[in-house]
Amino acid sequence: MRLSRYFLPVLKENPAEAQIVSHRYMLRAGMIKQQAAGIYSWLPLGFRVLKRIEEIVHQEQIRAGHIPLLMPTLQPADLWRESGRYDDYGQEMLRIKDRQDRDMLYGPTNEEMITDIFRAHVNSYKDLPLTLYHIQWKFRDEMRPRFGVMRGREFLMKDGYNFDVDRDAALHAYNRHMVSYLRTYERMGLTAIPMRAASGPIGGDNTHEFLVLAQTGESEVFYDDRVTGLKLGERDIDYDNRAEVAKVCEEFTTLYARTDETHDPAVFDQVPEAHRKVGRGIEVGQIFYFGTKYSESMGAEVTTADGGKVPVEMGSHGIGVSRLLGAIIEASHDDKGIIWPEGVTPFPVGIVNLKQGDAAADAACAGLEKALLAKGLEPLYDDRDERAGAKFATMDLIGLPWRITVGPRGLEKGIVELTSRRTGVSEELSTEAAVDRIAQIYAAHR
Ligand code: P5A
């Protein structure tokens, strides 16, 4: 992509309404535009990151054996009357009437609708286990939408629902989600800590939230700081192996980690003082096991091997897809702008032409662009007729992890400069070597 032809409405001034760094940088980098309180347009740069995050979520869900589908944003109220949640949900639910005067709502979540799909088509234990998920817009008429995409009213969520024949199988689904979420967040360059949580309006008594530590987080968290060192890394996990999956979950949930809702000071006091930490966190996901709460009220039953009939065992599992952009920026930035982890960056590399109009520099940049594209890596090429300082400032603000700087003087020596956004360290390389290095770096992030 050539910057001269792109749509990147960068702001020079700090927007007054933005109280936290991620919101400030998303506005300044031309990623989002507010259309109403808690409702945003995703401008091209923000949209690219959002799509990239969705892609990682899909890949990890499919790896865990979960099946994508797509349910609508608008739902009939009658489904929610069956579960009893139509009245319980209160002011957070956006209620709408259609022209026939029928009660509709903009879905805040989809437990009822997925249960309706299940009961229409499945009635035997032989069709289980089954986990269906989608990535779809939700609406919650939050009392205080704030911090940009972090607490929106309209927001994108991945929500998945498992159906199992008994409690053990449903707990395996819960564990499978925990592990797949750990992998998902790691690929985004995040450390998200599973913490025992409270279930709220979704229900059930077994639930974990995933928190990214950040001073601007909305939740107070209490934890043993050794949890921050746990990593899945390159482990190859067999998601069908119940014992293996349970063991990984145990590894990640044994050390103390709680939100204020479930914090137990007496237990926390037993954590060695040197490791006892109180901080703040951003909730980027939550998993629930709630058994037969919805299947019983909505009549979703399956036959069992011994000829009986039982309400199907369920859980639901959510990732805050749009919130993740804010969380990643909170966790990865400096005073010049965003620093995207390679896994989610909108473009893998930026090209800065120090002397637009210089025949050698223009040709070298075009050649780099072509060579990178041939390797499936689309660079953002700043081909504007601008001062070098302004080009560097834009690149630093939008946070591409790598930058190739091309100028006539370097080219006389046969070199360009490859710079890491994170460390600021530059290397002089031939154009070919620079392309190879970038390709090598991203080989690990596909
Ligand atoms: C699980 C999936 C649920 O709704 N039902 C389906 C369950 N869980 S949840 O915890 O309420 O939401 C899942 C994740 O969505 C994100 N989230 C939000 N993101 C931005 N703005 C909001 N207002 C908002 N509300 C929830 C969070 O990341 C949450 O963990």
Side-chain angles (χ1 to χ4, degrees), residues 245-266:
V245 172
K247 199 160 150 264
V248 176
C249 292
E250 200 184 308
E251 180 187 336
F252 280 81
T253 54
T254 301
L255 289 167
Y256 191 88
R258 301 280 178 93
T259 63
D260 45 5
E261 291 169 326
T262 53
H263 177 53
D264 181 344

Side-chain angles (χ1 to χ4, degrees), residues 141-158:
D141 204 349
E142 300 274 351
M143 177 98 95
R144 289 186 65 201
R146 57 180 184 158
F147 301 159
V149 300
M150 209 74 104
R151 182 163 294 278
R153 291 198 296 164
E154 189 188 47
F155 60 97
L156 192 59
M157 192 201 287
K158 171 264 160 182

Side-chain angles (χ1 to χ4, degrees), residues 89 108-111 138 140 142 149-161 202 209-210 283-288 316-323:
Y89 224 93
T109 177
N110 286 58
E111 280 80 6
K138 303 288 184 286
R140 293 182 185 175
E142 300 274 351
V149 300
M150 209 74 104
R151 182 163 294 278
R153 291 198 296 164
E154 189 188 47
F155 60 97
L156 192 59
M157 192 201 287
K158 171 264 160 182
D159 42 322
Y161 306 85
I202 307 293
E209 284 177 2
F210 292 78
E283 181 203 323
V284 291
Q286 185 163 4
I287 56 177
F288 301 83
S316 73
H317 316 275
I319 293 182
V321 173
S322 48
R323 176 179 286 182

Side-chain angles (χ1 to χ4, degrees), residues 37-336:
I39 301 179
Y40 292 87
S41 288
W42 293 80
L43 304 183
L45 192 76
F47 188 55
R48 281 185 85 105
V49 181
L50 191 68
K51 286 286 148 192
R52 184 62 200 135
I53 290 176
E54 278 190 47
E55 196 179 313
I56 293 175
V57 170
H58 274 302
Q59 286 172 358
E60 293 306 328
Q61 286 309 297
I62 286 164
R63 199 198 300 275
H66 305 159
I67 302 168
L69 82 175
L70 186 60
M71 291 176 271
T73 53
L74 295 184
Q75 306 186 19
D78 281 345
L79 277 182
W80 290 66
R81 292 196 173 102
E82 286 189 56
S83 71
R85 282 208 296 180
Y86 189 62
D87 293 326
D88 292 356
Y89 224 93
Q91 299 267 42
E92 263 193 26
M93 180 183 275
L94 180 64
R95 296 156 203 262
I96 304 162
K97 274 196 194 293
D98 70 10
R99 65 199 296 164
Q100 320 287 357
D101 214 31
R102 273 188 292 248
D103 291 323
M104 309 284 289
L105 56 100
Y106 193 131
T109 177
N110 286 58
E111 280 80 6
E112 283 79 357
M113 188 170 276
I114 201 82
T115 306
D116 180 55
I117 293 172
F118 182 88
R119 71 180 170 186
H121 300 289
V122 184
N123 48 39
S124 164
Y125 72 97
K126 290 183 188 156
D127 296 324
L128 306 181
L130 178 66
T131 295
L132 300 169
Y133 79 93
H134 69 166
I135 298 180
Q136 178 62 294
W137 295 94
K138 303 288 184 286
F139 197 93
R140 293 182 185 175
D141 204 349
E142 300 274 351
M143 177 98 95
R144 289 186 65 201
R146 57 180 184 158
F147 301 159
V149 300
M150 209 74 104
R151 182 163 294 278
R153 291 198 296 164
E154 189 188 47
F155 60 97
L156 192 59
M157 192 201 287
K158 171 264 160 182
D159 42 322
Y161 306 85
N162 67 284
F163 299 92
D164 287 279
V165 69
D166 58 30
R167 182 185 158 85
D168 279 357
L171 288 174
H172 172 54
Y174 184 89
N175 289 344
R176 210 172 53 227
H177 278 88
M178 183 179 290
V179 176
S180 71
Y181 280 22
L182 290 169
R183 263 191 103 114
T184 302
Y185 300 125
E186 272 187 27
R187 284 188 60 189
M188 297 176 188
L190 288 174
T191 302
I193 305 164
M195 301 196 181
R196 186 160 290 285
S199 68
I202 307 293
D205 47 24
N206 205 350
T207 173
H208 281 84
E209 284 177 2
F210 292 78
L211 285 112
V212 172
L213 297 175
Q215 280 157 9
T216 48
E218 290 188 297
S219 322
E220 188 171 29
V221 294
F222 304 81
Y223 61 101
D224 180 325
D225 70 358
R226 287 171 289 186
V227 294
T228 61
L230 300 172
K231 293 274 175 306
L232 275 182
E234 298 301 303
R235 265 184 264 185
D236 185 19
I237 288 152
D238 174 1
Y239 281 107
D240 289 331
N241 184 331
R242 287 192 192 185
E244 178 187 1
V245 172
K247 199 160 150 264
V248 176
C249 292
E250 200 184 308
E251 180 187 336
F252 280 81
T253 54
T254 301
L255 289 167
Y256 191 88
R258 301 280 178 93
T259 63
D260 45 5
E261 291 169 326
T262 53
H263 177 53
D264 181 344
V267 183
F268 193 43
D269 280 349
Q270 290 161 26
V271 174
E273 208 177 331
H275 292 295
R276 217 181 293 155
K277 291 277 173 359
V278 181
R280 304 199 70 80
I282 302 167
E283 181 203 323
V284 291
Q286 185 163 4
I287 56 177
F288 301 83
Y289 164 65
F290 45 69
T292 58
K293 174 177 162 148
Y294 299 92
S295 56
E296 248 177 89
S297 57
M298 296 183 65
E301 291 186 327
V302 286
T303 58
T304 55
D306 56 16
K309 242 186 177 182
V310 291
V312 70
E313 285 276 332
M314 293 174 63
S316 73
H317 316 275
I319 293 182
V321 173
S322 48
R323 176 179 286 182
L324 271 166
L325 277 93
I328 293 167
I329 297 171
E330 290 296 325
S332 186
H333 67 269
D334 63 14
D335 56 5
K336 295 186 201 139

Side-chain angles (χ1 to χ4, degrees), residues 411-424:
L411 289 174
E412 277 169 22
K413 293 186 281 174
I415 53 128
V416 296
E417 204 177 64
L418 178 65
T419 308
S420 156
R421 173 71 181 85
R422 193 170 292 280
T423 64

